[in-house]
Amino acid sequence: MADKPHLNLVIIGHIDHGKSTMMGALLIKTGAVTDREARELEKIAKEFDRDSWSYAYVFDRLKEERQRGITIDLAFRKFETDSKYFTIIDAPGHRDFVKNMITGASQADAAVLVVSGKKGEMEVGLAANGQTREHAYLAQTLGVKQLVVAINKADVWEYDQDRFNECVENVSALLKTIGFRVGDIAFVPTSGLKGENLTEPCDSLKWYDGPTLIEAIDQFKLPEKPLDKPLRLPIQDAYRIKGTGVVPVGRVETGVLKKGDKIKIMPGGFEGEIRSIEMHHEEIPKAEPGDNVGFSIRGLNLDDVHRGDVLSHPDNPCTVITPNGNWTGQVIVIWHPTAVAQGYTPVVHTHTAQIAARFTALKKKLDQKTGAVIEDSPKFIKKNEAAIVQLSPIKKLCLEKYEEIPELGRFAIRDMGRTVAVGIVKDLETGA
Ligand code: GTP
Ligand code: MG
């Protein structure tokens, strides 16, 4: 498995559209989940009186998830095709857990958007407050450029070609507005529950001549690794491990981290030397973009490193914006009960950081499709409007211009448990 190129694949879409079930079925069909485990899960699903959820239980492992029949937290599983191996990141569709979905999407190279084609379900997901819409916006803004759309529950819409076309048309229209290149996207009819058109063509879908789900996934291109850029490694967490000391973990976004490197952790400023790097419990000499690693640094304490910090080399440390500084962002408002105005202070999510930030100015309202300026210094921005705004963090925040390091130049704005806006960093003043 380790010899094949690797891709992180996030599974997104509206609640109950069948994400976990489809991926569970795919893993069982490809043998990544053993028959024994599958039978065990069937038994557990019966005990919870949720027989039809047994495939979903491959990913839904928490008791609360199994009882409620929903995904809450991200779940990761590996699986391989002839040419690649994948880490599947199963995201929750429930709107209360969008922050987990954002974390998953920010780690992904590609996504499968699962859309139930069942009458009414496709429509609800695409509605103004639906998560098909919200997840698609977030995926695009978080830099997930490659997408496959599964039009799921084919058994319910009776493999009807007209219904399939209707779903494709509606989902395409949304994806086009968001900025996806719809011509490059495969739309695949599937039934996760029946395991149809996942790994082999399905007799009930004779009119369909496109790829199966696994073929579509296998066509994803490997992302180019930004090896020549300065090192940026956002910290996900740090643990104290007996005998080793404090071990921060995170994913290399850009650049290369080598054993023996001098490093600096921003915004705190701790400097030290990398003693060892570990990936999948094995020591490795260097880590490259896409690698999820843990590492140890001599003399590091838990106070020196936090989720949201960024590790870089001392000669080119990550940019830090202080509360005296600000950044200029281009944003799209996805949802707000009234309107966004100057002074509004929601939470900004970017790489692994979550920090409150204040809208210090609304500069321009833009036409979402053309980017042309519609209004200077607008008083408000409302749902579905695009704008250039200025934001100031209430605590120091690691951020970069999108143009220079896109991996650290995207952000989402959340409030009241929902995503209010997504955006990219056009410019910044550190305020230091
Ligand atoms: P969240 O993770 O909570 O967002 O939901 P999900 O998208 O992972 O959906 P899940 O896989 O938990 O499935 C929800 C329900 O839809 C379960 O009862 C499944 O059995 C059912 N379901 C999923 N796929 C299909 C399908 O292809 N056909 C039919 N008939 N039912 C399906
Ligand atoms: Mg699920």
Side-chain angles (χ1 to χ4, degrees), residues 111-303:
V112 177
L113 174 63
V114 177
V115 179
S116 166
K118 186 175 172 183
K119 193 104 208 140
E121 290 193 345
M122 181 267 282
E123 289 78 1
V124 167
L126 288 177
N129 59 1
Q131 274 61 55
T132 306
R133 177 178 296 272
E134 185 175 12
H135 284 191
Y137 265 107
L138 288 168
Q140 163 74 14
T141 305
L142 295 166
V144 180
K145 295 268 167 344
Q146 303 188 77
L147 195 66
V148 160
V149 179
I151 306 294
N152 194 32
K153 306 200 183 179
D155 54 304
V156 180
W157 44 270
E158 297 175 330
Y159 313 93
D160 175 21
Q161 188 174 6
D162 289 339
R163 177 59 178 169
F164 176 74
N165 289 340
E166 189 183 356
C167 293
V168 171
E169 218 171 276
N170 283 279
V171 177
S172 298
L174 168 73
L175 296 178
K176 215 182 264 172
T177 351
I178 296 173
F180 280 102
R181 290 168 44 154
V182 176
D184 298 344
I185 296 176
F187 290 83
V188 185
T190 56
S191 168
L193 191 64
K194 304 239 181 235
E196 287 168 336
N197 209 27
L198 304 183
T199 55
E200 57 210 352
C202 162
D203 285 341
S204 313
L205 293 164
K206 286 229 156 45
W207 47 266
Y208 175 74
D209 57 5
T212 59
L213 184 72
I214 204 168
E215 286 167 349
I217 291 174
D218 209 27
Q219 283 163 17
F220 283 134
K221 293 194 194 70
L222 295 168
E224 256 177 60
K225 288 188 180 179
L227 293 164
D228 301 334
K229 293 205 171 164
L231 173 68
R232 296 291 182 264
L233 193 169
I235 306 296
Q236 266 158 28
D237 220 332
Y239 307 96
R240 184 187 297 286
I241 294 176
K242 253 212 173 106
T244 313
V246 172
V247 175
V249 297
R251 180 171 114 130
V252 179
E253 291 295 344
T254 57
V256 179
L257 179 70
K258 295 199 198 75
K259 188 175 168 175
D261 275 2
K262 299 253 186 308
I263 55 85
K264 188 166 187 172
I265 300 172
M266 302 302 279
F270 177 91
E271 292 196 39
E273 190 182 308
I274 298 287
R275 194 156 48 174
S276 65
I277 309 173
E278 229 185 57
M279 183 158 73
H280 304 316
H281 307 292
E282 271 172 41
E283 202 172 323
I284 52 171
K286 62 172 184 177
E288 296 184 346
D291 291 348
N292 270 304
V293 293
F295 42 90
S296 72
I297 303 170
R298 213 180 297 273
L300 184 72
N301 288 312
L302 274 180
D303 296 343

Side-chain angles (χ1 to χ4, degrees), residues 15 23 38 81 92 99 107 125 162 181 185 204 263 297 299 311 328 353 416:
I15 187 165
M23 289 303 132
T81 62
K99 67 172 191 305
Q107 297 169 46
D162 289 339
R181 290 168 44 154
I185 296 176
S204 313
I263 55 85
I297 303 170
L311 183 100
T328 303
M416 295 169 271

Side-chain angles (χ1 to χ4, degrees), residues 14-21 52-53 56 69-71 92-94 152-153 155-156 191-193:
H14 196 82
I15 187 165
D16 274 357
H17 280 209
K19 298 175 289 300
S20 304
T21 300
S52 81
W53 261 267
I70 62 166
T71 304
H94 196 296
N152 194 32
K153 306 200 183 179
D155 54 304
V156 180
S191 168
L193 191 64

Side-chain angles (χ1 to χ4, degrees), residues 8-13 19-20 23 56-63 65 70-78 87-94 96-108 110-112 135 138 142 144 236 251 292 307 349 351-352 354:
N8 287 306
L9 187 62
V10 69
I11 317 303
I12 58 175
K19 298 175 289 300
S20 304
M23 289 303 132
Y57 280 14
V58 170
F59 287 95
D60 296 342
R61 305 190 85 83
L62 302 174
K63 189 165 176 219
E65 294 182 315
I70 62 166
T71 304
I72 294 172
D73 209 347
L74 295 173
F76 298 76
R77 293 236 17 180
K78 296 206 182 320
T87 299
I88 295 185
I89 309 170
D90 184 39
H94 196 296
D96 287 355
F97 309 116
V98 171
K99 67 172 191 305
N100 297 339
M101 178 275 168
I102 291 173
T103 308
S106 66
Q107 297 169 46
V112 177
H135 284 191
L138 288 168
L142 295 166
V144 180
Q236 266 158 28
R251 180 171 114 130
N292 270 304
R307 183 183 167 90
H349 294 241
H351 52 90
T352 57
Q354 298 180 15

Side-chain angles (χ1 to χ4, degrees), residues 372-415:
V373 178
I374 313 175
E375 193 183 336
D376 279 311
S377 312
K379 282 228 149 33
F380 303 102
I381 6 168
K382 292 200 185 116
K383 193 167 78 191
N384 293 328
E385 291 181 336
I388 303 285
V389 300
Q390 194 177 287
L391 287 144
S392 185
I394 63 151
K395 284 200 307 195
K396 288 180 183 172
L397 174 64
C398 288
L399 211 59
E400 301 286 359
K401 284 187 202 171
Y402 183 81
E403 209 179 80
E404 288 166 8
I405 307 184
E407 292 80 0
L408 273 83
R410 312 178 185 104
F411 59 95
I413 293 169
R414 306 200 76 243
D415 193 12

